[in-house]
Amino acid sequence: QVMCVEHGRWAGSDLTFRSSGQVAHPDLRRAALFDGQSAVWNEVARKSQATGVQSSTGTFRRVLQDEATRARIQRYVDELDEKLPRSERLAGYAVAINGDLAVVDLFDSPKLVRKLQRKLLASYVLAGLERQPLPEGVLRAKARAISKKSVDSFMNQASSNQVYELKGKAVHGTFFAKPGGTPGK
């Protein structure tokens, strides 16, 4: 399934399709997978407003190209990338924003996770940029409370999920939090 992330696409001067080289943030992915084209355009508009980015065609690409937004994302991605374990067994990410599980991405191959790592981290950071940070003590307590059991519960109660298959084999699964809440809590 393909969705357009540029509401005024056909009014633009460049009609060439190309990859942004990025992974869409979880709310945009959820809208594309489950809510339809208008929800995708609404999420692009919401994220553009949240990041202070404007575009005459309402393109999501503009959010990703904005220098200030890219610099903010890059700082966090560099820090996260440095802190993540270098494991040959790492097969995905359970992502919490302000201590609440937001999305779980699982892959069949640690090699694929390593290949996509910085793009995935950037998508998670973009999701969290607009959230007001919690006091550090509260955040640490919430983070410590996340366990394998709470991640398993999150995945079992996720409001929606998508599994991608290649030749009949699952290669990537994404589990999303309920809008406005976190399953498994």
Side-chain angles (χ1 to χ4, degrees):
Q1 176 174 336
V2 175
M3 294 283 174
C4 176
V5 292
E6 186 172 3
H7 193 247
R9 171 82 173 137
W10 304 116
S13 59
D14 181 3
L15 301 180
T16 307
F17 285 101
R18 348 175 234 288
S19 169
S20 68
Q22 302 293 319
V23 173
H25 62 284
D27 288 338
L28 183 55
R29 287 193 277 155
R30 179 189 2 230
L33 289 169
F34 303 106
D35 299 330
Q37 185 62 67
S38 333
V40 168
W41 286 333
N42 289 341
E43 177 56 23
V44 169
R46 190 194 69 72
K47 186 56 79 174
S48 294
Q49 182 177 20
T51 56
V53 174
Q54 295 180 356
S55 161
S56 62
T57 62
T59 180
F60 183 62
R61 183 183 305 260
R62 181 68 185 104
V63 171
L64 299 174
Q65 292 173 338
D66 179 67
E67 286 300 321
T69 302
R70 286 174 55 153
R72 288 180 69 199
I73 290 170
Q74 194 62 46
R75 281 194 319 268
Y76 287 110
V77 168
D78 290 344
E79 184 178 339
L80 290 168
D81 190 38
E82 185 178 300
K83 290 181 179 185
L84 283 172
R86 302 291 180 230
S87 170
E88 295 299 317
R89 296 178 18 178
L90 183 65
Y93 301 104
V95 178
I97 298 175
N98 273 351
D100 295 320
L101 287 169
V103 65
V104 173
D105 278 311
L106 295 176
F107 297 85
D108 76 324
S109 161
K111 185 177 180 180
L112 182 56
V113 172
R114 284 190 308 278
K115 181 177 181 177
L116 294 173
Q117 181 167 305
R118 292 187 66 82
K119 292 178 183 181
L120 287 166
L121 293 176
S123 80
Y124 306 144
V125 169
L126 182 59
L129 280 181
E130 66 195 72
R131 302 279 296 275
Q132 188 66 26
L134 296 175
E136 191 168 330
V138 173
L139 187 56
R140 285 190 189 282
K142 289 180 85 170
R144 279 191 212 107
I146 297 173
S147 64
K148 182 183 181 324
K149 183 178 178 181
S150 61
V151 172
D152 289 344
S153 178
F154 174 92
M155 291 170 55
N156 288 330
Q157 297 175 32
S159 67
S160 50
N161 63 67
Q162 178 69 36
V163 175
Y164 297 95
E165 294 183 0
L166 178 65
K167 297 180 183 178
K169 178 183 173 192
V171 293
H172 175 213
T174 302
F175 303 82
F176 299 97
K178 293 178 183 175
T182 301
K185 288 243 172 184

